[in-house]
Structure formats: structure tokens, C-alpha cells
Amino acid sequence: MSRITRRLAVAAAAAATAVLFTAVPAAAHVEVESDDAQALAENAELAFTAESESATAGITQIRVVLPKGIAPSDVTYGKGPEGWKFTTTDDGYTVKGAALKVGADAEYSVVVRQLPDAKELAFKTLQTYGDGKVDRWIELGESGDDDGHGHGEGNPAPVLKLKAAAPGATPVAPSPSASASASATPTAEESSTSPTPQAADSETEDDGGLSAGAWVAIAAVLVLAMAVALVFVRRRGGARQ
């Protein structure tokens, strides 16, 4: 291989690598934080941030499955994107509205009547975009409390770690709907707009990999680099003859 050919090969590899790294989106996730993160804390405000993974569509809905010990009726809406609405479901709630700007994160808060007596709480989350794509943040760790939706079906669910309950803290009386199962199946009407974690298997999703457009761009760069290298090699060979 001639020196020119080697240089062209190196240049082509460098160009392809540059496209690859610029096409990979930053690792996104859903976070939950609270200044009241203590077992049996009352009227605890939880702040959620669902980071955007799409470069082409804005977030339109956040669907949350509540952990055991928190009933949907125990949750009230705090604040969130302008115009978005809060609705409870059989096993949690949804916050949805007009699509946010492309790349914008969805930030909102809820208030929980009382946090359960636990060490940590996992909030399984389905994040929907305007183009129908769904990111599933529903996977539980070994210490996670499974609510019937299974493990290993998506990305890690946001987890809120709790401090031990304050001395003398006791559970408040359960809300009227506290007997509802945390793994109840949403109604058919809810499922059409708020897919369950199982239904999300059939949705178009992106777990942090490259989009189709990114792969097309990479392929185009590689083809172009190979074509340029071939032209130079042929010209080099013709000059020697």
C-alpha cells in the first residue's frame, strides 16, 4: 500500500469516527429528587426530570407507575410544563400536553400525601414523544420492589432513596382508593394514549442507540471516503504507467 493510500485510509477512518461520535446522543435518563426523602414523610414534594433523547421530536407525555405504598389518590400535581395536565390512572398518573421543544427536558413535580416506610422507591416511567416514540424507564435493580411488570424490559427506573422514618412517625389513615392494586391494568381508553410498560414493547423506541438518520450519515461518509480513495489510487496507478 502506497503512502498516499495509507493516508487516505486513515483520513476516511477519522471522518467516520467523527461522524459516529457526534451522532451518538448523550446518555439520558429520568431523575427524581426530594428534600422530603424520608420514610413516612407527609406532604412530600417530588421533583422529576425526564431528559430528552430525541433530536427530531419533543416530549408530549410522562406516564408513571407508582411504587407500592403510594396510591394514585395520594398524589396531587405540583407544577410542570405550561399547559400540561395531570391525570391519575389505575396504577399511577400521567402528565401530558403540547409537545415541548425538540431537545427540551420535561420537568414537573407532584406532592405525595405520605411516603411509605421503605428504603427506596422506584417510579417506572414511560416517556412519549410527538412522533410516537416511547422511552421506557422501567427496569428495577436487585433491590427494586417489583410491582408485577417484570425486570429487564427497558432502561433503569428513577429511584428515590429514603432516610429512616423520624422517631414517632406513624402511617396516616389510607386514602379511599388505597386498596387499588399498584399493578392494575389501565382501561382500554387509557391504554390508547398511555401505554403500559408491557404495551410499550410494541412501540417505536430508542434506548440510547443511533437513529436511522445517524446510520445513513455514517454510511454516506464511509462510501464517500472509499470513493475518494479509489479515485486517488487509480490516478496514482495511471501516472506510474
Side-chain angles (χ1 to χ4, degrees), residues 30-50 64-67 70-71 74-80 86 93 95 106-116 120-125 158-162:
V30 176
E31 295 180 339
V32 55
E33 298 178 342
S34 177
D35 293 334
D36 309 310
Q38 184 173 23
L40 299 181
E42 297 183 39
N43 299 317
E45 183 176 13
L46 279 55
F48 290 83
T49 300
V64 173
V65 175
L66 291 169
I70 301 179
D74 290 335
V75 180
T76 56
Y77 193 37
K79 56 185 178 181
F86 173 87
Y93 63 84
V95 184
E107 299 180 357
Y108 71 95
S109 65
V110 297
V111 176
V112 179
R113 183 167 175 254
Q114 184 181 43
L115 297 179
E120 62 181 32
L121 303 171
F123 295 84
K124 294 184 177 182
T125 301
V159 174
L160 179 67
K161 296 186 179 297
L162 304 181

Side-chain angles (χ1 to χ4, degrees), residues 24-204:
V24 175
H29 50 278
V30 176
E31 295 180 339
V32 55
E33 298 178 342
S34 177
D35 293 334
D36 309 310
Q38 184 173 23
L40 299 181
E42 297 183 39
N43 299 317
E45 183 176 13
L46 279 55
F48 290 83
T49 300
E51 297 183 355
S52 175
E53 281 193 318
S54 176
T56 58
I59 301 172
T60 59
Q61 176 177 286
I62 303 297
R63 166 87 156 86
V64 173
V65 175
L66 291 169
K68 290 180 179 179
I70 301 179
S73 59
D74 290 335
V75 180
T76 56
Y77 193 37
K79 56 185 178 181
E82 184 177 358
W84 279 34
K85 303 296 183 181
F86 173 87
T87 306
T88 58
T89 62
D90 288 342
D91 57 359
Y93 63 84
T94 62
V95 184
K96 61 182 178 179
L100 302 181
K101 292 182 178 180
V102 175
D105 301 335
E107 299 180 357
Y108 71 95
S109 65
V110 297
V111 176
V112 179
R113 183 167 175 254
Q114 184 181 43
L115 297 179
D117 190 3
K119 293 183 179 180
E120 62 181 32
L121 303 171
F123 295 84
K124 294 184 177 182
T125 301
L126 296 179
Q127 180 175 323
T128 304
Y129 296 84
D131 58 3
K133 169 178 166 270
V134 177
D135 290 334
R136 299 174 298 148
W137 307 96
I138 61 175
E139 185 175 347
L140 302 178
E142 294 182 358
S143 60
D145 187 10
D146 189 8
D147 62 6
H149 291 311
H151 296 260
E153 298 176 348
N155 300 299
V159 174
L160 179 67
K161 296 186 179 297
L162 304 181
K163 296 181 293 185
T170 58
V172 298
S175 62
S177 62
S179 59
S181 171
S183 59
T185 302
T187 63
E189 181 178 355
E190 290 172 342
S191 298
S192 64
T193 56
S194 304
T196 63
Q198 299 99 318
D201 284 330
S202 62
E203 297 283 356
T204 301

